[in-house]
Amino acid sequence: MAFDSKIPSGEMKEKWNDYKGHVKLVNPANKRKLEIIVVGTGLAGASAAASLGEMGYKVKAFCFQDSPRRAHSIAAQGGINAAKNYQNDGDSVFRLFYDTVKGGDYRAREANVHRLAEVSNAIIDQCVAQGVPFAREYGGLLSNRSFGGTQVQRTFYAAGQTGQQLLLGAYSALERQVALGNVTMYTRHEMLDVVIIDDKARGIIARNLVNGELEKHFGHAVLLCTGGYGNVFYLSTNAMGCNVTAAWKAHKKGAFFGNPCFTQIHPTCIPVSGDYQSKLTLMSESLRNDGRIWVPKQKGDNRKAVDIPEEERDYYLERRYPAFGNLVPRDVASRAAKERCDEGYGVGTTKLAVYLDFKDAIIRYGKIEQGKQGDTNVTEADTIRLGKAVVEEKYGNLFEMYEKITGENPYEMPMRIYPAVHYTMGGLWVDYELQTTVKGLYALGEANFSDHGANRLGASALMQGLADGYFVIPYTLGNYLADEIRTSAIPTDHPAFAATEKEVSDRITTLMNIKGTQTVESFHKRLGKIMWDKCGMARNEKGLQEAIVEIQALKKEFWSDLRIPGDTNSMNPELDKAGRVADFIELGELMCMDALDRKESCGGHFREESQTEEGEAKRDDENFSYVSAWEYKGESDWQLNKEPLEFEIVKPTQRSYK
């Protein structure tokens, strides 16, 4: 099937302006008649709901948490990118665009990425106006730091809790619209299906998670802002509630799924400590600004890190990638850590960890502080004390979290880190207007596939979520709704609503009636192990083929031996979880199929059969320069559609960070 990505014609830097100049509009009186459903209230959802409410649309926003403030966007730590060039170090919109396309290993759509870079600066102004407390330099200007995959400092931050501060800004804007009556907020509601009438998305079926009742809601358009699907791996940095259900239901109703196998492994997470663990904790990539990553030069070295002398340490990223050093992109840093541990140089009890060391940074900052004070007569202890204070100001809450979880003081002992599943670059396929292959159904933020290619650069998730919500969807949605002003609200007793509600209800009944012996959690854990072992940091043909067979067997077992306690018509978190895990099992199968089809390595997708002599990812542009857009045909049956990627400006070359 040929499908249209709706990329405007003309020069790259004029496309978005030109689009905005010619887009169809909805007048203010008509906006009041149009209803929009926003599912998810993280950065993409809250910013979209607030913006659309401000414009005069009638918005209904849904989240499964008890407050929009609990959306997983709060967990983002390190920062948000924008091309403001405050550091006067050569940054520009073009360079942000270039770094993002290259960082994504040439598997993103240029026009979308260029637009993202263009609107990035406006996001910072918007957030400052909302009162987001970005870090500032001594003179009052906003501060920046570096992130992997770039040679400039373009990341704006608020200590190590940037996501939380940005979400509070978007949440304030959202709550203002709620107070004005433009947005109705439905907390503790989970979307379980999308309602389609005459080939257009016209509403959703949601379950009230407090009393178990199913509800029908109409909308002239439906926006999915439901985040990523990293929890398919069971252990990930995602909140336990993060799931793929909303996107997966849309997929089964006709929305193509784009690049499902592109998963980001984050290089700096606190290592797994035992089998009982259900979640991993991220240590922001911003720590790689000042922390140096190393392993001992001898295998199986059991000495304490502080007892290993400098000449017996291998700063392997600085050795292998001198131009970028510790600031190589995430996929490169993750694979390098895995390679060292696989070779026997890992540290800690499990030997699946490397060191992230702040000693040099503490001394460097301490000396700068002494210089400021003009004090030449100081001891090393004074230097360290002054340096610690600077590091604490920049990264304090991250160091505190690390100490709480591991019981070690990272100011005195290097942190131990290891890669973990983090972000998903895949998601629902969308065109330039963020519309899926189902008319009137849109996907924003991490729920879509669009801007990061095969590997997201750090500090770009917050940028994309807010760009989509504040600056893209307010224009592109109007283009669709301009033709819908004559459609009056469809009553929810319409046959399509009744039929979809029955489907949802029947599925819940089926799940509850299995009455087997195994818990939801045990199935989720087993799925995660298959995915991590065979579709994780490295994939190969044999492993992926085995994984598909194993997942199909797991699915059969799930539907015949699952046990859900409690009942249907009340609060039942196990039932909520069961529905999500059932969707993860199906998604896992598609991810393995996608990884099997893509016989090349690119970004976070590393096929062992496709690597350079130095062990780097080896792309095959001739055969795989496309977006995989999978169409659901039936159980274990998908059809692959390809959106060819054409590069007008950033010509694909072998990625090098040396």
Side-chain angles (χ1 to χ4, degrees), residues 125-172:
D125 300 337
Q126 171 99 354
C127 295
V128 169
Q130 288 172 342
V132 172
F134 285 122
R136 291 178 183 267
E137 303 286 1
Y138 178 72
L141 295 173
L142 296 184
S143 181
N144 293 106
R145 55 187 176 205
S146 301
F147 258 69
T150 70
Q151 288 177 308
V152 296
Q153 290 182 286
R154 66 160 69 98
T155 305
F156 295 77
Y157 62 98
Q161 46 177 286
T162 315
Q164 182 169 1
Q165 298 303 336
L166 291 171
L167 187 65
L168 288 172
Y171 169 74
S172 311

Side-chain angles (χ1 to χ4, degrees), residues 343-397:
E343 288 296 313
Y345 296 95
V347 300
T349 45
T350 60
K351 299 293 180 201
L352 290 176
V354 299
Y355 288 126
L356 178 61
D357 196 338
F358 279 83
K359 186 178 169 219
D360 289 0
I362 288 170
I363 289 169
R364 186 176 78 247
Y365 284 127
K367 285 181 175 163
I368 292 169
E369 290 306 300
Q370 287 164 8
K372 286 181 188 169
Q373 293 166 14
D375 197 345
T376 49
N377 198 12
V378 282
T379 62
E380 191 183 351
D382 286 335
T383 309
I384 288 171
R385 181 178 50 78
L386 290 166
K388 275 183 184 170
V390 176
V391 168
E392 186 173 1
E393 193 182 330
K394 291 179 89 160
Y395 309 110
N397 65 310

Side-chain angles (χ1 to χ4, degrees), residues 75-79 147-148 236-238 263-271 280-288 293 328-335 337-338 354 356 398 417-425 455-459 461 532 537 604:
Q77 296 168 351
F147 258 69
S236 81
T237 64
N238 290 211
T263 310
Q264 177 159 73
I265 313 284
H266 196 294
T268 45
C269 294
I270 299 178
L280 295 171
T281 305
L282 182 65
M283 287 285 105
S284 166
E285 182 183 321
S286 61
L287 296 173
R288 295 198 277 150
I293 291 172
V328 290
R330 290 176 177 178
D331 56 325
V332 178
S334 294
R335 272 202 304 280
K338 179 181 190 292
V354 299
L356 178 61
L398 299 170
I417 54 160
Y418 193 70
V421 171
H422 180 51
Y423 184 92
T424 50
M425 284 77 63
N455 172 54
R456 175 175 68 79
L457 289 185
W532 178 246
M537 279 170 78

